[in-house]
Amino acid sequence: MEVSQIKELDTHAIVGGGKAQAFGMSDSAEFYTVLSDTLYRDKKLAVVREVICNAWDAHIMVEKTDVPVKITLTDEALVIEDFGPGIPPELIGPVYCVYGGTTKVKDERQTGGFGLGCKAPFAYSDHFTVMSCHAGIKTLWAISRGGSETDGKPDFRPMVQVPTKATGITVSIPIRDPADVEEFTKLIRRVVRNGGMLATLNDKPLDRFDYEGARKAGFCLVQNGHTVGLGESKVYVLYGTVLYPVMTSDQTVMHLVKELSNHVESWAVTVLMAPPNTVGVVPSREGLSFSELTTKTVTRLLNETIVKLKRHAAPVAKRTIIERAEKQKRRYALKLDVGGSMLSHGHGLLDDPKVIAERAVQGNLQVYLAGRNHTRWIFNTFAKTFRDDRRTFRRARTNRYGTGFDFNHEAYRHSSRLFRRMAAKLGMLDRLFACHTDAYANPRYLLTPFSNFKGSGEVEPLLVISPNQRDASKWIKDLKGPNSFSNDKRPVMVMVVHRATDELLTNILEVAESYKIDTELLDFPKRQKGRKVRPADKFTDLYSLKFRHSDSTWGEPSLEDPAFFVRFRGRDGSRVPYSVHEHLETLKELFPKVAVIMTAGQQAKVEKLGAKPLLLGIIQAFEKSSKSRDAQYAAMIASGDFVSGSARWDAAATRMRDLCKGSAEIAKILFPDRATASEKAQLSATLNTMLTEIKFDHVDQALLDKMTLALRKLRADANATFKHLVLKAHDVNERYGYLRMAGDFNPTNPADEQLVVEFVRHFERRRIKAEKEAAALAAAEAAKPAVQDGSNDNTPNSDALKEAA
């Protein structure tokens, strides 16, 4: 088989110049090792592949393809025997023992052409034997990697010569380690099967792929039961009796490989049939040589295979789409189930394009749904199946590729119209609510009025009739919440009926039945006749709640005269914000008697009793405490406002802020002031933290704005009070550079903190002393010209000089 063409090598012409001289080749032992050993990536596989393929080529040469190659494998040797013509003794050297010597270059039926495969046993063993039977003579040749007689180059020598009637060549390779026998067995089976060769192993026939049908179709599929060893690519090329992976940097080829993989079943490998003399292979026969000819051939084979599969898959896909659409059970699903089916594990080859296409459609239907025609198939089938909704599907199929058609919105619109009609007939549209699937996993579980509900997806054909929203939410939560076993997350419709009479409930049930809507009637409390004595209003005390992680346990209301109130979203255990729990002890000391309310009616009652929002109480206490100089000084330290400028995050400035926040003593050293860490300063800091961390529900925007202004005012007042102490970041880096050497300390360890304090105090004294000396020196330098001019001691310059001295 031709592996290259000489005419391809003449790539350009040269005008002028001297006489061309040919290259040479090294005749060294190292180069022979390269050609017979290091050339191969998988050495054992190379030995098995090259020797077996040579034996099968010998059968092809004499047209004995009905006779199997005989392979014998023991713990001592691997013996491969063919029944071809053999090699005459006088040609064993020029043909078998010359690197590059071969008889296959012009025979397109055989595999090879480099003259290297017969030397592949050197990749595993230092020596092997070849017995050639030809023209009635049997000759045994010993072949060795080389010795001193040949300067380390491979050698061959005759051992025995006897008469015989057989023909063929027997290659015997010694086994170095009996543990290699199992691996050689697997490689022999794989090479014989993938090459489609006829062979026996220890007198037992070996499986082989029959590529006869594949050669007619141009390709075939190796199913996942036989893809072991074919993991380098999803597409292989069969050239001769060897499978070569399609792996290249050519983006066009690899894009076609990916596209072809989408049109066959998953985990299968596609094999393309390359005609003789159309591709090139690397000398080791472990891959294709992607020359211009090879790239052109592989591209053509890929395109032809994709076209054939698409042509056979189109009617199968259409039939499958129609069958699945007609089996659609849910009236408003509006979407076709295109999930792939589980295919059975196949073994062997598939060479029928129709069967390949059918299995591909069964396992990967969504590949064939792109395009306007396929979208029309879906909508036309839906229109016939669900005749009540045929207008929807006819409108959808007019959109190109179905774009602009929102399936989920249409599903909600269609499935909710019966509820809308029913509620309108009862005159209770304002009592109709909806609970979306997102609310099932949300801890709030709130219902939304039907008129404001922005839902999507099919509505469950169930109407929940409840005396209030709370009971309905709890019922839906138990039925479809995250802890339930239900996977049906469709929206649920709820009708809230206050002060329901038996006649009204009966009427609702009858109308719902007429619209074929299932109902779930929750328990309605029985109304007691007679006037009830209304007890005094009591409210739940915030500090009586028992928190468990993010949940809270509620007791009986006991607070009659609240001073403050806080409103949460509901009485479910998970409604109280965790941020309140974090500051509960401090809140209890500062703001006693805080009532917990859930409704606007309760808020009106507590406000009537004189209680004010807890957030307002925090703001007022914060404004009062933040007026002191101590609080403003602490705020300057906490916000880092003692350092200003664009470089305020430089190393020295950052270290200064961190040290001041960690130690009040260090802050006093660096920014001396009469301010102290008083109770007002601590209270202001605590309230500041509450305002920024606690999240309040149902708070007026005006109150939030008041909180923002209070925080801003403290910072503005503090900056105005201590503007004389504010440093530029540039000055910090120049004057307080020693702070970069100050290490971190644990504020809870007084000894650790004291070390850093002493460090800062020491260097600060040195800095102040150095500044005074520099100022004195500058004053002396400024006074020198006045003394040289002869001025008397009563001049200002003389006084400055004396003072400096």
Side-chain angles (χ1 to χ4, degrees):
M1 181 177 292
E2 295 187 27
V3 294
S4 63
Q5 299 184 19
I6 301 299
K7 63 182 181 179
E8 291 186 358
L9 304 178
D10 191 9
T11 57
H12 65 289
I14 300 178
V15 180
K19 183 180 179 180
Q21 301 181 44
F23 274 49
M25 295 186 67
S26 173
D27 190 23
S28 64
E30 291 79 10
F31 189 63
Y32 283 108
T33 302
V34 170
L35 294 178
S36 56
D37 185 358
T38 58
L39 177 69
Y40 301 106
R41 180 179 56 188
D42 190 335
K43 301 183 186 303
K44 293 177 183 177
L45 176 60
V47 172
V48 172
R49 181 185 64 240
E50 299 300 328
V51 180
I52 293 178
C53 288
N54 283 343
W56 184 247
D57 288 340
H59 284 207
I60 294 176
M61 184 184 301
V62 294
E63 298 182 353
K64 286 186 177 181
T65 53
D66 57 338
V67 178
V69 174
K70 185 177 181 180
I71 306 173
T72 304
L73 179 61
T74 64
D75 291 345
E76 289 77 26
L78 168 63
V79 182
I80 300 173
E81 179 183 0
D82 69 62
F83 304 97
I87 300 177
E90 65 274 11
L91 295 180
I92 194 71
V95 173
Y96 203 93
C97 299
V98 172
Y99 284 80
T102 180
T103 61
K104 304 179 183 179
V105 174
K106 300 301 181 181
D107 191 347
E108 64 181 23
R109 301 172 300 168
Q110 302 180 53
T111 302
F114 292 106
L116 300 176
C118 58
K119 292 82 174 173
F122 283 141
Y124 177 76
S125 177
D126 291 336
H127 61 90
F128 62 97
T129 62
V130 175
M131 185 171 63
S132 176
C133 301
H134 178 79
I137 299 176
K138 179 190 294 186
T139 307
L140 180 64
W141 300 87
I143 300 178
S144 174
R145 186 184 291 273
S148 57
E149 296 182 19
T150 57
D151 294 332
K153 293 180 286 188
D155 61 65
F156 66 101
R157 65 187 68 190
M159 302 299 292
V160 178
Q161 194 173 68
V162 296
T164 185
K165 294 182 180 180
T167 61
I169 291 179
T170 302
V171 180
S172 180
I173 306 166
I175 297 297
R176 295 181 307 186
D177 186 353
D180 294 337
V181 173
E182 182 178 358
E183 186 175 356
F184 271 117
T185 302
K186 295 179 180 179
L187 294 175
I188 291 169
R189 294 181 183 277
R190 187 195 309 173
V191 168
V192 171
R193 182 188 66 230
N194 293 345
M197 297 175 282
L198 188 63
T200 62
L201 176 60
N202 296 335
D203 297 326
K204 294 182 179 179
L206 294 175
D207 293 335
R208 67 165 182 164
F209 288 151
D210 185 1
Y211 289 110
E212 183 179 356
R215 298 187 190 280
K216 296 178 182 178
F219 68 98
C220 64
L221 211 65
V222 180
Q223 294 182 286
N224 54 2
H226 277 144
T227 56
V228 178
L230 301 178
E232 294 185 62
S233 176
K234 297 293 290 184
V235 179
Y236 279 72
V237 171
L238 178 65
Y239 191 53
T241 56
V242 180
L243 291 177
Y244 298 99
V246 178
M247 291 293 294
T248 176
S249 59
D250 190 301
Q251 295 300 317
T252 302
V253 174
M254 297 312 296
H255 177 76
L256 291 173
V257 169
K258 183 177 181 180
E259 183 179 356
L260 176 58
S261 301
N262 291 331
H263 291 282
V264 298
E265 61 182 274
S266 301
W267 310 112
V269 173
T270 307
V271 178
L272 307 177
M273 303 292 136
N277 306 325
T278 57
V279 297
V281 299
V282 297
S284 64
R285 291 205 296 187
E286 292 177 335
L288 294 173
S289 176
F290 277 90
S291 61
E292 183 178 354
L293 175 63
T294 303
T295 302
K296 184 178 179 180
T297 300
V298 173
T299 303
R300 175 177 59 79
L301 294 175
L302 288 168
N303 280 317
E304 291 176 354
T305 304
I306 292 172
V307 170
K308 289 180 182 179
L309 288 176
K310 283 184 176 181
R311 183 170 65 249
H312 289 290
V316 179
K318 180 177 180 179
R319 183 175 66 251
T320 305
I321 290 171
I322 293 175
E323 290 175 355
R324 292 194 182 185
E326 290 176 346
K327 292 179 181 179
Q328 197 74 265
K329 295 181 180 180
R330 287 168 58 173
R331 178 180 182 83
Y332 300 108
L334 303 181
K335 273 190 176 181
L336 180 64
D337 179 15
V338 295
S341 303
M342 292 297 295
L343 299 177
S344 60
H345 289 280
H347 296 268
L349 290 183
L350 286 180
D351 53 18
D352 188 346
K354 293 183 180 179
V355 176
I356 295 175
E358 287 180 358
R359 289 182 66 87
V361 171
Q362 182 183 356
N364 200 15
L365 179 60
Q366 57 265 32
V367 173
Y368 303 95
L369 292 177
R372 190 171 183 178
N373 291 333
H374 300 152
T375 306
R376 287 178 179 272
W377 299 343
I378 298 174
F379 291 134
N380 285 338
T381 306
F382 273 136
K384 295 177 182 178
T385 305
F386 305 114
R387 301 193 61 82
D388 292 347
D389 299 322
R390 57 184 179 274
R391 290 184 180 179
T392 300
F393 297 112
R394 288 174 181 172
R395 185 172 71 255
R397 72 182 182 185
T398 59
N399 295 307
R400 183 172 178 81
Y401 306 121
T403 58
F405 182 77
D406 190 341
F407 288 97
N408 289 326
H409 177 70
E410 290 293 333
Y412 172 72
R413 190 172 68 87
H414 277 262
S415 58
S416 63
R417 63 184 177 180
L418 295 178
F419 295 92
R420 182 171 59 251
R421 293 175 182 173
M422 184 203 70
K425 185 173 182 179
L426 292 169
M428 302 179 66
L429 267 175
D430 59 332
R431 308 312 305 161
L432 189 63
F433 295 82
C435 183
H436 196 269
T437 53
D438 293 341
Y440 301 156
N442 190 306
R444 302 189 184 281
Y445 301 104
L446 297 180
L447 303 182
T448 304
F450 179 77
S451 57
N452 299 331
F453 185 64
K454 307 297 181 183
S456 62
E458 179 188 359
V459 174
E460 185 171 350
L462 174 67
L463 178 66
V464 179
I465 305 173
S466 173
N468 51 60
Q469 296 185 41
R470 182 181 63 252
D471 292 350
S473 298
K474 186 177 184 305
W475 186 86
I476 295 174
K477 173 186 174 182
D478 295 339
L479 178 67
K480 296 193 173 187
N483 297 326
S484 71
F485 295 97
S486 174
N487 293 322
D488 188 1
K489 301 298 183 182
R490 291 179 289 175
V492 176
M493 291 295 172
V494 176
M495 182 168 286
V496 177
V497 184
H498 299 303
R499 300 179 181 178
T501 61
D502 293 339
E503 293 79 9
L504 178 58
L505 294 177
T506 301
N507 188 26
I508 294 174
L509 294 174
E510 291 176 353
V511 174
E513 184 179 2
S514 66
Y515 282 93
K516 298 180 180 180
I517 297 176
D518 295 335
T519 56
E520 178 67 30
L521 184 63
L522 302 186
D523 293 335
F524 279 75
K526 297 296 183 180
R527 297 181 62 85
Q528 298 179 356
K529 296 183 179 180
R531 187 174 180 180
K532 297 173 61 177
V533 179
R534 183 166 185 158
D537 291 323
K538 293 184 179 181
F539 305 93
T540 301
D541 189 352
L542 174 64
Y543 308 116
S544 68
L545 301 182
K546 296 181 180 179
F547 286 85
R548 238 182 13 256
H549 300 293
S550 60
D551 297 335
S552 56
T553 303
W554 294 69
E556 291 296 327
S558 60
L559 188 61
E560 296 183 0
D561 55 341
F564 303 94
F565 69 88
V566 58
R567 182 176 175 183
F568 298 142
R569 291 190 178 275
R571 194 166 179 173
D572 200 22
S574 59
R575 306 296 161 69
V576 179
Y578 189 72
S579 58
V580 175
H581 175 233
E582 287 289 294
H583 300 277
L584 199 61
E585 294 298 327
T586 308
L587 285 171
K588 187 174 182 179
E589 295 178 4
L590 300 177
F591 307 99
K593 296 184 179 181
V594 179
V596 179
I597 61 174
M598 279 69 69
T599 64
Q602 290 178 336
Q603 181 173 343
K605 291 179 181 178
V606 294
E607 288 177 343
K608 189 175 181 180
L609 295 174
K612 56 185 178 182
L614 178 60
L615 177 58
L616 179 60
I618 297 175
I619 294 173
Q620 291 175 347
F622 174 72
E623 290 176 339
K624 183 178 180 180
S625 63
S626 62
K627 293 179 181 180
S628 67
R629 186 184 186 87
D630 298 343
Q632 294 175 4
Y633 185 81
M636 289 289 289
I637 295 174
S639 60
D641 285 348
F642 275 123
V643 180
S644 65
S646 59
R648 61 183 305 196
W649 298 107
D650 287 349
T654 302
R655 178 61 64 190
M656 174 180 283
R657 285 196 304 274
D658 294 342
L659 292 175
C660 289
K661 289 180 181 179
S663 172
E665 192 172 355
I666 294 177
K668 296 287 287 185
I669 295 173
L670 297 176
F671 303 101
D673 191 82
R674 69 174 184 274
T676 60
S678 62
E679 294 182 359
K680 288 187 177 181
Q682 296 175 2
L683 176 61
S684 177
T686 301
L687 296 172
N688 193 335
T689 303
M690 289 183 182
L691 292 176
T692 54
E693 292 185 0
I694 297 180
K695 307 300 180 184
F696 292 94
D697 295 335
H698 292 286
V699 177
D700 295 337
Q701 186 61 40
L703 200 56
L704 294 176
D705 294 340
K706 184 179 180 63
M707 178 186 71
T708 303
L709 289 175
L711 294 172
R712 290 179 180 176
K713 188 175 186 304
L714 170 61
R715 193 165 182 179
D717 292 344
N719 277 272
T721 303
F722 296 98
K723 62 181 179 180
H724 62 285
L725 295 179
V726 176
L727 299 174
K728 297 289 186 181
H730 177 74
D731 296 337
V732 173
N733 292 326
E734 294 234 346
R735 298 166 58 187
Y736 299 90
Y738 66 86
L739 292 176
R740 297 188 184 95
M741 298 184 294
D744 295 328
F745 65 90
N746 184 5
T748 61
N749 187 351
D752 191 7
E753 179 183 357
Q754 195 59 35
L755 287 176
V756 181
V757 169
E758 293 299 328
F759 171 85
V760 174
R761 181 178 286 116
H762 170 73
F763 279 95
E764 187 62 12
R765 289 172 179 170
R766 291 183 56 181
R767 183 190 67 79
I768 295 174
K769 182 179 179 180
E771 287 184 353
K772 289 182 178 180
E773 291 176 353
L777 183 60
E781 291 294 335
K784 282 183 180 181
V787 174
Q788 292 175 0
D789 291 341
S791 57
N792 54 35
D793 292 341
N794 294 327
T795 61
N797 291 335
S798 299
D799 294 337
L801 184 59
K802 289 180 179 180
E803 183 179 355

